[in-house]
């Protein structure tokens, strides 16, 4: 009894304290809202229940709630503590300040009242300029500028005009220039062009520097509706003609902007800037000196409207001035172009001019060049382009190569525009090959033989032509013309006016041999076919071996009479396993790494002749050409089986009995039982993908195991996932079940939709019925129904069975048709007396 008295005392103390703490926890909106949507609901949140759940009166009234100026609307309760006032949308004006008062008559369910009046206020959106659009009337530069001002609410053009100013704004201007060689040419040939260029540059600079100058404009009654879509939130202005290019227009709306004296003014000025089109100039060529003839050289124009290819070809001429005394004007080649639209840059080759190496060209742009906004260049532009020789390079097939011994001792290499090179030759043994291969692959085959003295070699060269030269390898392979060698080449002297493409040395390992090797490897075994290169005949009795990256012989053997040897258990391409993150159930596919990296070499040797092939040599017939998927991980056993529970649905806290049955799908074929005692890791994850339980089971003699666990009482509801994984087996097996809080339903709802036919245009009648499971009708029950449609991408079986697909079509079909449901109508209603 004493204990009960204490509980009652605490309860009374709490109640008395609550009587003094009824308050408004939060209310809103407050201040100016950004959009009218934010003012569609006025919310007041109290500190304790104001109505009883399940007994909320209809309609809801709130005599303690007052809004000034008054607004028609409705009240509703969200839960028992939040009062929501929804104003009539038609009656809610823009730019008005509303004050909301919650007076002392507000009373909670417990009978508590506020100790003071609570007030807050909000303002619906004032007039705000959102964005602008503009264009030149008639599409010509210098024509009137038509500007569309888009606001956040319906506006009156005269009201906006009374608070608007349009003036210029200064900005940075980068004056274009004519390069000095072009200036010298113009002074000599067209001196009047310099005056025209300077005058145009001054006009553009003045327009860019203009600041604060008023621009005359009026409210337009007509404009291009395809460019600026009409609307009641739009005001369109039109300037007088003559606003020059490179002008920036600033739109200024003062802080007093309001639709009427009853509206709240904006309270702060608003400004937006319009950048008109730039003045039309030639900017530059992308290259003037030391130009690479194999790189495109672009004429770059200062325009946003662009120039058509036809206009550019008509205005641009190119003259070969390599011989100053005998200039040659080039004739542009005719042909189709890839330029479908006007562009602000054109390469010389796109204009039809084929630039040759070691030449000097004069590029002239005529004053008549016209941009798509109507501007003409108005002055002659000239630039001199100095083109060098093609870049110098050397190559003899970087990497690894095979030279058939019957072809002689002269190994070819190629060079362009080099007068001299340095070359190295060094013999190799098979024991030195693997370490050297690893080093060369690491540095891109750029290492020269250490200790070997390079030989300086002069080359006879015709400029800009690729020549084939011979490298005598006889000194490295001996009189038998068979063996391995390390060759390298480094750039020497280039011809004048030519760049070196790459100054690094080039290196290669070459096998001079009459042995051909064909290798097909797998983790199970590797087939090696050895033949002679000169006649293709099998080579019997050849010594073959497999060397790994650590330069150890993994396997060795002899070829049979058919030239074939088979090495067993050659799992050599496997890479170190990737660290797996928690819950990672995806197998790590090493296919691309296995193909792209060198893991081993196969060597064949007989009678002093030797050859090798690397595991990264993938030329020839590939699995994909035969429709076979290459997947290195398929050589590992694959875990198959199932994990399942005794039921599909559980409540929180209930016990789950699960079973796992597994088999190993071996690469040799067939499913096998895993040995008894094999550990299996089982994992349970909840609906939020969080780990709940992790355990290790042991398999019995039937390669199965059982798992008993309990769903935690505080776990989330939803779909749970079980996973089983066995070390050494690829992948994992998964299963799952549902955790739900369910109870026996009290009622059922049925829906029917009927019509006289199923043809398009038929009127359908829908019926919703609600009944309690004990048999009574749900009289006056609230129902919300939605009628949706969704396109069907198939035809009824009766049509499909009778006619082929080319005999019928879908009306209104297009490739962008969405399969998402579309709501036709939706409504909240009350069931009748019969449900």
């Amino acid at each position: 009894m004493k204990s009960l008295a204490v509980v009652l005392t605490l309860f009374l103390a709490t109640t008395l304290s609550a009587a003094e703490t009824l308050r408004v926890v939060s209310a809103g909106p407050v201040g100016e809202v950004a959009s009218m949507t934010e003012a569609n609901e006025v919310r007041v949140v109290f500190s304790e229940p104001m109505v009883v759940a399940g007994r909320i009166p209809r309609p809801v009234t709130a005599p303690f709630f007052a809004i000034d100026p008054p607004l028609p609307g409705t009240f509703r309760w969200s839960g028992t503590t939040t009062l929501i006032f929804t104003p009539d949308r038609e009656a809610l004006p823009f730019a008005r300040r509303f004050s909301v008062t919650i007076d002392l008559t507000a009373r909670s369910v417990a009978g508590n009242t506020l100790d003071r009046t609570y007030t807050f206020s909000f303002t619906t959106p004032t007039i705000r300029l959102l964005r602008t659009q503009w264009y030149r009337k008639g599409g010509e530069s210098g024509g009137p500028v038509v500007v569309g001002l888009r606001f956040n609410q319906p506006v009156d053009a005269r009201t906006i005009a009374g608070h608007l100013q349009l003036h210029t704004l200064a900005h940075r201007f980068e004056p274009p220039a004519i390069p000095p060689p072009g200036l010298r040419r113009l002074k000599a040939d067209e001196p009047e062009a310099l005056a025209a260029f300077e005058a145009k540059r001054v006009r553009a600079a003045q327009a860019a520097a203009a600041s604060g100058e008023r621009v005359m404009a009026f409210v337009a009654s007509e404009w291009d509706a395809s460019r600026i879509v009409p609307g009641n939130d739009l005001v369109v202005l039109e300037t007088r003609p003559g606003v020059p290019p490179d002008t920036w227009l600033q739109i200024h709306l003062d802080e007093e902007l309001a639709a009427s004296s009853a509206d709240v003014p904006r309270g702060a000025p608003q400004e937006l800037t319009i950048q008109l089109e730039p003045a039309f100039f030639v900017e530059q060529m992308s290259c003037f000196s030391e130009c690479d003839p194999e790189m495109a050289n672009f004429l770059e124009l200062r325009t946003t409207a662009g120039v058509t290819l036809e206009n550019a070809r008509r205005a641009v001429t190119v003259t070969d001035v390599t011989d100053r005394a005998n200039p040659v004007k080039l004739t542009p080649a005719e042909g189709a172009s890839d330029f479908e639209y006007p562009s602000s840059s054109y390469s010389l080759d796109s204009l039809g001019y084929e630039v040759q190496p070691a030449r000097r060209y004069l590029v002239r742009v005529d004053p008549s060049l016209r941009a798509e906004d109507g501007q003409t260049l108005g002055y002659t532009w000239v630039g001199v382009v100095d083109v060098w020789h093609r870049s110098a390079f050397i190559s003899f097939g970087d990497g690894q190569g095979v030279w058939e011994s019957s072809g002689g001792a002269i190994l070819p290499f190629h060079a362009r525009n080099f007068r001299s090179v340095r070359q190295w030759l060094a013999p190799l043994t098979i024991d030195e090959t693997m370490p050297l291969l690893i080093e060369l692959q690491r540095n891109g085959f750029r290492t020269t033989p250490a200790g070997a003295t390079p030989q300086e070699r002069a080359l006879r060269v015709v400029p800009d032509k690729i020549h084939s030269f011979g490298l005598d390898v006889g000194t490295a392979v001996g009189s038998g013309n068979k063996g391995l060698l390390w060759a390298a080449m480094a750039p020497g002297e280039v011809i004048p006016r030519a760049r070196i493409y790459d100054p690094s040395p080039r290196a290669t390992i070459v096998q001079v041999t009459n042995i051909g090797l064909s290798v097909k490897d797998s983790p199970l075994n590797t087939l090696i076919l050895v033949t002679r290169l000169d006649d293709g005949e099998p080579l019997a009795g050849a010594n073959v071996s497999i060397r790994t990256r650590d330069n150890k012989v993994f396997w060795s053997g002899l070829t049979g009479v058919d030239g074939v040897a088979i090495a067993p258990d050659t799992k050599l391409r496997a890479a170190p396993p990737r660290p797996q993150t928690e819950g990672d159930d995806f197998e790590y596919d090493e296919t691309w790494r296995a193909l792209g990296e060198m893991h081993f070499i196969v060597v064949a040797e007989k009678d002093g002749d030797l050859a090798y092939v690397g595991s990264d040599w993938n030329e020839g017939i590939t699995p994909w050409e035969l429709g076979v998927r290459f997947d290195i991980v398929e050589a590992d056993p694959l875990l198959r089986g199932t994990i399942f529970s005794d039921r599909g649905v559980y409540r929180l806290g209930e016990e789950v009995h699960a079973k796992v049955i597994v088999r190993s799908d071996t690469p040799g074929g067939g499913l096998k039982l895993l040995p008894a005692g094999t550990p299996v890791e089982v994992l349970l994850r909840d609906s939020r993908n969080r780990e709940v339980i992790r355990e290790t089971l042991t398999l019995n003699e039937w390669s199965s195991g059982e798992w008993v666990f309990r769903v935690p009482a505080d776990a989330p509801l939803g779909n749970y996932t079980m996973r089983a994984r066995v070390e050494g087996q690829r992948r994992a097996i998964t299963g799952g079940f549902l955790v739900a809080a369910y109870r026996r339903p009290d009622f059922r709802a049925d829906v029917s939709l009927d019509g006289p036919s199923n043809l398009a245009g038929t009127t359908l009648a829908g019926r919703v019925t609600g009944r309690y499971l004990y048999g009574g009708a749900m009289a006056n029950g609230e129902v919300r129904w939605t009628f949706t449609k969704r396109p069907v991408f198939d035809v009824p079986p009766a049509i499909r069975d009778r006619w082929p697909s080319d005999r019928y079509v879908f009306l209104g079909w297009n490739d962008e048709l969405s399969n998402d449901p579309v709501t036709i109508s939706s409504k909240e209603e009350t069931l009748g007396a019969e449900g």
Side-chain angles (χ1 to χ4, degrees):
M1 292 299 293
K2 290 182 180 180
S3 177
L4 177 60
V6 172
V7 173
L8 290 175
T9 300
L10 292 175
F11 175 77
L12 291 173
T14 304
T15 305
L16 290 173
S17 176
E20 300 174 359
T21 58
L22 176 63
R23 64 189 185 280
V24 175
V25 176
S26 64
V30 177
E32 182 175 343
V33 297
S35 65
M36 212 58 153
T37 304
E38 297 180 33
N40 285 342
E41 289 187 349
V42 181
R43 293 173 173 262
V44 182
V45 182
F46 293 92
S47 61
E48 58 183 278
M50 302 294 288
V51 290
V52 178
R55 289 189 290 173
I56 299 176
R58 291 178 178 271
V60 175
T61 59
F64 53 82
F65 180 101
I67 186 167
D68 184 37
L71 270 177
T74 58
F75 292 95
R76 63 185 174 91
W77 286 99
S78 176
T80 60
T81 60
T82 303
L83 178 68
I84 300 176
F85 173 67
T86 304
D88 291 345
R89 292 192 179 184
E90 293 76 10
L92 189 62
F94 284 93
R96 296 292 176 87
R97 183 178 183 275
F98 292 92
S99 179
V100 180
T101 301
I102 309 299
D103 64 30
L104 299 179
T105 62
R107 184 179 298 275
S108 70
V109 173
N112 303 318
T113 59
L114 297 173
D115 59 353
R116 65 177 62 90
T117 300
Y118 186 90
T119 61
F120 65 97
S121 63
F122 66 93
T123 303
T124 53
T126 57
I127 299 177
R128 187 170 72 252
L129 178 59
L130 300 180
R131 61 185 182 276
T132 63
Q133 296 171 271
W134 70 275
Y135 66 90
R136 289 277 194 177
K137 195 172 184 178
E140 296 290 325
S141 178
V145 182
V146 179
V147 182
L149 310 179
R150 192 73 67 177
F151 293 88
N152 66 333
Q153 57 189 270
V155 291
D156 176 70
R158 290 174 296 180
T159 299
I160 298 299
H163 296 271
L164 182 143
Q165 292 182 3
L166 189 63
H167 56 79
T168 59
L169 180 67
H171 60 278
R172 184 178 179 181
F173 173 71
E174 293 288 346
I178 299 176
L183 284 174
R184 291 193 292 269
R185 290 275 184 170
L186 287 176
K187 286 179 181 178
D189 301 336
E190 301 180 62
E192 69 282 357
L194 294 179
F197 168 70
E198 189 60 31
K200 183 169 185 177
R201 189 165 66 167
V202 169
R203 288 195 301 271
Q206 290 174 341
S211 181
E213 298 179 6
R214 293 289 296 272
V215 177
M216 300 299 296
F218 60 90
V219 177
S221 57
E222 296 181 353
W223 64 89
D224 187 345
S226 65
R227 290 173 174 261
I228 303 177
V229 179
N232 60 6
D233 60 344
L234 177 72
V235 174
V236 179
L237 305 178
E238 182 178 321
T239 71
R240 301 297 183 187
V243 181
D246 258 306
T247 299
W248 285 14
L249 301 177
Q250 188 174 70
I251 299 165
H252 177 87
L253 293 166
D254 64 34
E255 65 274 12
E256 299 299 325
L257 176 60
S260 68
S261 59
D263 290 349
V264 177
R266 179 62 188 166
Q270 304 177 72
E271 292 179 339
L272 281 179
T273 302
I274 296 173
Q275 301 178 17
L276 298 186
E277 73 281 355
F280 185 34
F281 287 93
V282 174
E283 291 275 18
Q284 62 177 0
M285 296 286 296
S286 53
C287 180
F288 286 108
S289 62
E290 302 181 13
C291 300
D292 188 338
E294 296 177 310
M295 298 292 291
N297 197 356
F298 285 87
L299 177 69
E300 299 174 6
L301 307 172
R302 189 175 186 269
T303 173
T304 54
V307 174
T308 63
L309 178 62
E310 181 182 0
N311 286 347
R313 280 184 167 175
R314 189 183 300 118
V316 178
T317 56
V318 178
T319 303
D320 187 335
V321 293
T322 308
D323 183 355
R324 294 185 178 182
N326 299 291
V328 178
K329 186 175 182 179
L330 304 185
T331 301
E334 297 294 334
S337 170
D338 295 333
F339 289 86
E340 299 180 3
Y341 302 99
S343 175
S344 60
S345 64
Y346 287 98
S347 63
L348 295 182
D349 57 342
S350 67
L351 296 174
Y353 296 103
E354 185 177 352
V355 175
Q356 298 298 323
R359 312 299 293 177
R360 187 183 297 270
Y361 296 99
L362 179 72
V363 180
R364 181 184 183 276
V365 184
D366 194 78
S368 63
L369 179 63
R370 184 181 185 278
E372 285 301 279
D373 59 7
Q375 294 188 72
T376 55
L377 186 59
Y379 67 94
T380 302
W381 183 91
V382 170
V384 178
V385 177
D386 184 20
V387 182
W388 275 25
H389 287 287
R390 292 187 172 96
S391 56
F393 73 87
I394 51 176
S395 172
F396 47 14
D398 299 349
Q400 307 167 61
V402 178
W403 183 251
E404 193 169 343
S405 57
S406 61
I410 304 301
L411 180 70
F413 72 95
H414 300 87
R416 182 177 71 186
N417 289 343
F418 270 110
R419 286 179 171 176
S420 65
V421 294
R422 287 177 298 156
Q423 64 186 37
W424 289 262
L425 284 175
L428 278 181
T429 66
I430 193 60
D431 291 329
E432 298 170 325
T433 301
M434 178 62 85
L436 179 60
L437 273 176
I438 294 174
E439 178 187 351
L440 290 177
Q441 286 185 338
R442 186 164 44 241
N443 63 24
F445 286 86
R446 296 293 186 264
T447 303
T448 59
T453 302
Q455 177 187 353
E456 297 289 340
R457 178 173 178 179
L459 302 179
R460 298 182 62 184
V461 60
V462 175
D464 302 306
K465 300 294 184 182
I466 298 176
H467 295 275
S468 179
F469 300 94
L471 180 64
D472 189 351
V473 299
T475 57
V477 297
S479 59
N481 199 34
K482 292 176 182 178
L484 300 177
L485 64 98
W486 179 5
M489 195 83 62
E493 181 187 359
V494 298
I495 65 174
R497 290 164 54 84
R499 288 191 182 88
I500 298 177
Y501 179 77
D502 185 350
S504 304
R506 300 290 192 274
T508 185
I509 295 178
V510 180
Q511 43 186 300
V512 184
T513 181
N514 191 41
I515 293 178
L517 269 172
S518 300
V519 178
K520 178 178 175 56
D521 75 286
S522 80
L524 299 182
N525 54 39
T526 295
L527 183 146
I528 305 168
L529 172 63
V530 184
T531 60
R532 289 193 293 264
L533 290 177
D534 54 2
D535 57 14
E537 290 296 320
L539 189 60
N543 294 300
V544 290
S545 61
I546 299 177
R547 286 179 176 255
T548 54
R549 285 180 66 88
D550 57 4
N551 206 26
K552 294 180 180 179
V553 177
F554 173 81
W555 173 88
S556 62
L558 291 173
T559 58
V561 294
D562 54 359
V564 173
I566 296 180
D569 301 323
T570 51
K571 191 174 183 179
L572 300 172
R573 292 183 183 265
R578 179 191 65 168
Q580 293 187 330
T581 58
E582 195 64 36
D584 185 0
D585 292 330
F586 299 99
E587 67 179 37
Y588 186 34
D589 189 351
E590 284 287 348
T591 297
W592 297 110
R593 188 173 174 184
L595 283 173
E597 294 183 3
M598 183 186 64
H599 297 272
F600 59 89
I601 61 174
V602 178
V603 183
E605 184 178 8
K606 186 175 184 181
D607 300 332
D609 197 0
L610 181 145
Y612 77 91
V613 61
S615 65
D616 57 343
W617 293 17
N618 301 312
E619 296 90 351
I621 299 174
T622 62
W624 289 279
E625 294 178 71
L626 303 176
V628 178
R629 178 172 174 263
F630 180 89
D631 192 348
I632 192 69
V633 299
E634 288 185 351
D636 299 324
L638 175 66
L639 187 67
R640 297 191 183 276
T642 181
I643 181 171
F644 57 93
S645 57
D646 56 339
R647 300 207 310 269
V649 184
Y650 297 89
R651 287 177 175 172
L652 294 172
E654 288 189 331
E655 192 173 70
V656 180
H657 291 257
K659 189 164 187 174
V660 57
I661 303 174
V662 294
R663 299 290 186 269
S664 178
D665 191 349
T666 61
L671 294 175
K672 295 183 179 180
L673 299 177
L674 275 75
T678 300
V680 180
E681 182 190 73
V682 289
L683 173 67
L684 176 69
R685 289 185 177 275
D686 63 21
S687 57
R688 299 176 185 174
N689 200 35
R690 297 181 304 189
E691 180 179 320
V692 179
I693 302 171
R694 183 192 295 266
E695 294 182 11
T696 300
L697 312 179
T698 54
L699 297 179
N700 58 28
E701 63 272 22
W702 302 108
S703 193
S704 64
E706 295 184 354
W707 186 24
V708 180
F709 56 89
R710 188 174 298 276
V711 178
D714 57 350
L717 304 178
N719 290 305
Y720 280 55
T721 303
M722 298 182 294
R723 187 202 69 191
R725 173 179 285 165
V726 176
E727 185 70 26
Q729 300 284 323
R730 287 191 296 130
R731 301 184 183 172
I733 56 174
T734 59
F737 53 84
L738 175 65
V739 175
Y742 53 91
R743 66 181 182 183
R744 182 177 178 180
D746 297 326
F747 64 90
R748 62 175 292 173
D750 296 288
V751 180
S752 63
L753 191 65
D754 300 312
S757 73
N758 56 4
L759 296 178
T762 299
T763 300
L764 302 177
R767 182 181 180 86
V768 179
T769 304
R771 301 192 66 82
Y772 292 106
L773 293 183
Y774 60 75
M778 296 183 66
N780 301 320
E782 294 182 355
V783 61
R784 176 185 296 173
W785 58 264
T786 302
F787 183 36
T788 62
K789 67 176 181 179
R790 175 180 288 174
V792 176
F793 297 96
D794 199 3
V795 297
I799 296 177
R800 194 168 54 245
D801 294 343
R802 182 169 181 178
W803 288 290
S805 59
D806 59 353
R807 295 291 303 276
Y808 53 83
V809 296
F810 287 96
L811 295 178
W813 167 265
N814 64 76
D815 292 336
E816 298 180 357
L817 191 63
S818 173
N819 192 32
D820 296 333
V822 177
T823 299
I824 299 174
S825 59
S826 180
K827 195 173 182 180
E828 293 184 12
E829 295 189 77
T830 302
L831 296 176
E834 298 179 355

